[in-house]
Amino acid sequence: GGAESRDTKVTPADLDSETIEELKMIASFTDTEIMHLLAIFKKLDSDDSGYISFHELRHMPVFTLNPFLPRVLRIFDKNLDQQLSLKEFAQLMSTFSVKAARENKLRFAFSIYDWNNDAKIDIDDLTLSVKCMVKDHLTDEEITQVVDKVFEEVDKDQNNFIAFDEFVTVVANSGIETKLTIEF
C-alpha cells in the first residue's frame, strides 16, 4: 500500500487518550497493559522506525525459532507493508493474550495453515505448512506421505479439505491455546 494506508508512527508522547481508547477497543487491554504493550513495542522497534519488522519480531522469545513467523506477520500485517504498526502489533498481542478467547486462538491457528485464505485447509495448504515445519529434513515424497496420512485421519467427510471443525477436533487436546499465549 501507499503512504496513505500506513498507520502513523507512535511514540510514548503520542499516546493520547484517543490512541489509548483505540488500543483498548482493538484488544480490551487495561491502561497498564497498554503501557506494557508500548514498552514491548519500543524495545522490539530497535531502529526507532515506529514499526516492527520481521527481523525485529524475531527478538520475541515466542517467535525466535517459530517457522511460521512469516505467516504470523502476514496475517497481522493488514496493509501488507511487511511490518507491524502499533495497532497491528496490539492485534497480534491480543490474539496471543491470556485473556483471548479459545475460539479466537483456534481461528488464528487455523488461519496459519490456510495459506490461500479460502477458509479451509486443502492439500496445497497442508503441504506448505509441513514444508515450513520440516524445512529440508524430509524429501518431497516424505512430505506427501505426511500430508496424505493427516488427510486420511482428519478429513472425516473425505472432501479433500480440512474444515475448521475438523481442525478443532484434532487440536482440541493439543494444548494449542498454551502455545498461542504470551504473558505480558
Side-chain angles (χ1 to χ4, degrees):
E4 71 281 347
S5 66
R6 293 170 67 97
D7 293 317
T8 55
K9 178 178 174 179
V10 178
T11 63
D14 295 329
L15 272 189
D16 55 27
S17 58
E18 187 179 320
T19 305
I20 291 171
E21 289 307 311
E22 195 173 349
L23 291 174
K24 282 183 185 175
M25 284 173 43
I26 289 171
S28 69
F29 290 134
T30 64
D31 289 357
T32 306
E33 289 168 329
I34 288 171
M35 289 306 158
H36 197 181
L37 179 88
L38 181 63
I40 295 167
F41 184 87
K42 295 301 285 180
K43 185 177 179 186
L44 290 171
D45 181 19
S46 57
D47 64 359
D48 269 343
S49 66
Y51 298 91
I52 297 174
S53 69
F54 169 81
H55 296 291
E56 290 169 330
L57 198 56
R58 273 217 185 277
H59 293 289
M60 284 187 83
V62 71
F63 295 128
T64 301
L65 299 173
N66 189 323
F68 288 107
L69 181 58
R71 284 289 300 147
V72 171
L73 185 63
R74 171 62 195 90
I75 289 165
F76 289 98
D77 178 18
K78 300 299 182 198
N79 61 1
L80 307 178
D81 63 357
Q82 310 275 311
Q83 56 191 358
L84 298 179
S85 67
L86 178 59
K87 290 175 194 170
E88 291 166 334
F89 182 69
Q91 289 171 326
L92 178 147
M93 293 299 281
S94 173
T95 299
F96 282 84
S97 165
V98 187
K99 298 190 290 188
R102 179 175 190 267
E103 169 91 2
N104 292 355
K105 288 182 183 287
L106 291 170
R107 291 227 174 259
F108 167 72
F110 183 82
S111 69
I112 290 286
Y113 292 93
D114 180 18
W115 291 73
N116 60 9
N117 302 314
D118 63 356
K120 59 188 177 205
I121 299 169
D122 61 26
I123 289 172
D124 292 338
D125 291 327
L126 192 58
T127 300
L128 283 168
S129 298
V130 172
K131 282 182 178 180
C132 188
M133 288 184 271
V134 302
K135 302 284 185 233
D136 298 324
H137 299 294
L138 294 180
T139 65
D140 285 347
E141 185 179 320
E142 290 168 323
I143 289 169
T144 299
Q145 290 171 349
V146 168
V147 169
D148 290 347
K149 183 73 173 157
V150 169
F151 266 85
E152 186 181 310
E153 292 180 14
V154 179
D155 184 19
K156 298 298 182 197
D157 56 9
Q158 299 182 337
N159 60 359
N160 291 320
F161 67 84
I162 299 168
F164 180 69
D165 59 330
E166 291 169 321
F167 177 81
V168 170
T169 303
V170 172
V171 300
N173 300 315
S174 69
I176 195 162
E177 300 92 72
T178 308
K179 294 174 183 125
L180 294 175
T181 300
I182 299 172
E183 302 264 352
F184 72 98

